[in-house]
Amino acid sequence: MTESLTEPLPDDAHRTVLLRGGEVHSPADPFATAMVVERGHVAWVGSEGAADAFASGVDEVVDLDGALVTPAFVDAHVHTTSTGLALTGLDLTGAASLTEAADRIRAYAAARPADRILIGHGWDASRWPERRPPHRAELDELTGGRPLYLTRVDVHSAVATTALLALVPGIRAMTGFHDGEPLTGDAHHAVRAAAYAALSPLQRTEAQRAALRHAASLGIGTVHECAGPEISSESDFTSLLALDEPGPRVVGYWADLDVERARALGAHGAAGDLFADGSLGSHTACLHDPYADNPHTGLAHLDAATVAAHVVACTEAGLQAGFHAIGDAAISTVVDGVRAAAEKLGLARIRAARHRVEHAEMLIPETIAAFAELGLTASVQPAFDVAWGGEDGMYAERLGAERARTLNPYAALLRAGVPLAFGSDSPVTPLDPWGTVRAAAFHRTPEHRISVRAAFTAHTRGGWRATGRDDAGVLVPGAPADYAVWRTGELVVQAPDDRVARWSTDPRSGTPGLPDLTPGHDLPVCLRTVVFGQTVFVRPNE
């Protein structure tokens, strides 16, 4: 289901449905136990007693049996086809060693004799005792000489077999090709393009459907597809937007300096992974000071003048601009460019356009203040801190412990008034919305923690606001009926400051509760997901 501001109503969305006997998370009534949905929108929320008045006039009554109803989640940064391929294909994210990874590669290749190309994801040599990725000769042996494309967990570098490199003329002369090392930069982009071009349309469609079905099963009602010429292909992007089956809506971003091309492809913005730099794991994020474990500062892909020109072009075209920026130097470049665009067009126009920055991991007080001033949305991934934070994590290895502790400062962003939208960057980290909320609320660095309520808002309403819409992501009358039903335990209010938590649980505060996300507690289980009044997932045997 592609994103649209005036969506056609599916057949079952014409039905009027009363949900009752549960807990409805709504600021319209913090004690609501019932909700009426009509013509794809929330029509009413309220108490169990008042629900009796609606019961005889609806097409269906759903007994929630104590379940929790919340707005559906929005994952603000997804690579849908890659996510599907990781779900259905060769996934190395759980491999504990190079030896285990090799076993998985060999078994996968043996099980797929008819595939003309093998695609896998998720190796992370920084976690392996061998401390190195597989060599090309090893991959050639494991696959029997077939083409294999295997991305690192951050998707900013990859290893490939000789057979795949042979499909890319001139690969050895491209930037980012160093024989015997993982591919980065132009060489990586070229090999990725060749790999994805070798996929059949059926393989691609199966992967997209698998990803969206999985998202729906997790209570995700909307995904922001972050595509672009250096990430996927135009046919991959347009086929996803045209996919005609019930599921999460897809808001498409095309990362291209050619603004009119992005518009022609149906993109919501010429944004997403428009690379200002690379990643920390691959040593390609652009830093002011050198890496702690490598004597260079990464790669800059854009300068401030290019950023400014793109922001001006997008603003004048009525599209969102956006950039992938991870390192502190890359973020400074983006801020300088957006500020230059504001000097040309006026700050009010730039703020109104709600341009985005993806990842934004290495922020400092000056760039946080600039985000707030310029109205930039921080589209961020809290699971990155779970995966790579901490004293012994990849961040500390790449940057040293002191710099690593400054990364992903969500509390400072919120205090400054910077809009937050949460996502996964799947398949870099898995689709896992409640896990994402938990990651932000229990950040490895305590001063960066935010309340569960603020994190939940960033993963629901924040994703809608990141597309320019303020009328969705919350269960109030008139809002789109995007919601999920959850089996969960007692509802509580969790905040880093215990005084805030105590005040918020006072009935006079009118603060609706959310599941207890304390690490070690079971996360909520999705029973049903509904998008614009249409059921897109029902848990089996429920």
Side-chain angles (χ1 to χ4, degrees), residues 451-521:
S451 69
V452 167
R453 183 185 183 194
F456 179 78
T457 298
H459 216 349
T460 51
R461 197 170 193 181
W464 283 95
R465 286 174 166 168
T467 69
R469 290 186 63 171
D470 295 322
D471 64 333
V474 61
L475 299 180
V476 297
D482 282 33
Y483 62 90
V485 181
W486 307 92
R487 183 197 303 126
T488 189
E490 180 184 3
L491 303 183
V492 298
V493 175
Q494 293 178 292
D497 187 329
D498 183 59
R499 294 169 299 171
V500 174
R502 288 200 305 271
W503 172 82
S504 298
T505 54
D506 188 313
R508 291 170 296 179
S509 74
T511 303
L514 284 165
D516 186 348
L517 301 184
T518 303
H521 286 215

Side-chain angles (χ1 to χ4, degrees), residues 219-457:
I220 297 171
T222 300
V223 298
H224 296 181
E225 165 67 12
C226 291
E230 294 185 342
I231 302 165
S232 53
S233 67
E234 292 183 4
S235 59
D236 182 85
F237 184 64
T238 55
S239 68
L240 175 64
L241 296 186
L243 200 62
D244 185 20
E245 67 174 63
R249 66 167 56 75
V250 178
V251 182
Y253 287 93
W254 183 253
D256 199 332
L257 292 173
D258 186 341
V259 174
E260 289 309 312
R261 188 60 191 154
R263 184 199 296 279
L265 292 174
H268 194 82
D273 275 333
L274 184 52
F275 295 120
D277 67 344
S279 74
L280 292 166
S282 292
H283 290 103
T284 52
C286 189
L287 313 181
H288 285 303
D289 299 309
Y291 284 88
D293 61 347
N294 212 312
H296 66 85
T297 56
L299 300 173
H301 297 301
L302 300 173
D303 59 24
T306 304
V307 170
H310 186 62
V311 171
V312 168
C314 287
T315 305
E316 291 181 331
L319 292 177
Q320 282 182 292
F323 305 89
H324 161 121
I326 287 178
D328 50 3
I331 294 171
S332 294
T333 295
V334 169
V335 163
D336 290 346
V338 178
R339 182 172 283 120
E343 291 171 358
K344 180 173 182 177
L345 297 181
L347 181 60
R349 287 187 69 186
I350 296 300
R351 289 179 58 86
R354 303 192 189 186
H355 302 307
R356 301 169 51 142
V357 181
E358 309 297 319
H359 315 310
E361 292 169 64
M362 289 187 70
L363 290 155
I364 58 175
E366 290 77 10
T367 49
I368 291 172
F371 271 46
E373 173 197 357
L374 298 167
L376 294 172
T377 294
S379 172
V380 295
Q381 296 74 41
F384 287 4
D385 177 66
V386 175
W388 303 315
E391 295 297 313
D392 299 319
M394 182 272 289
Y395 285 155
E397 183 177 336
R398 293 289 184 270
L399 302 171
E402 183 177 350
R403 272 191 297 178
R405 281 192 290 270
T406 68
L407 266 61
N408 304 306
Y410 304 134
L413 286 163
L414 281 182
R415 284 195 301 269
V418 176
L420 291 181
F422 281 177
S424 62
D425 198 11
S426 180
V428 175
T429 58
L431 299 170
D432 180 15
W434 285 114
T436 296
V437 174
R438 171 186 279 173
F442 294 92
H443 197 295
R444 289 176 182 268
T445 306
E447 58 262 37
H448 298 332
R449 293 174 180 171
I450 60 177
S451 69
V452 167
R453 183 185 183 194
F456 179 78
T457 298

Side-chain angles (χ1 to χ4, degrees), residues 64-116:
L64 293 169
D65 191 26
L68 170 67
V69 182
T70 71
F73 285 102
V74 177
D75 193 309
H77 194 117
V78 173
H79 304 288
T80 306
T81 301
S82 297
T83 296
L85 289 169
L87 288 168
T88 61
L90 175 54
D91 183 4
L92 299 181
T93 53
S97 67
L98 176 58
T99 300
E100 182 181 343
D103 290 342
R104 292 191 187 190
I105 295 167
R106 180 182 285 108
Y108 183 77
R112 311 281 294 212
D115 287 2
R116 58 187 177 185

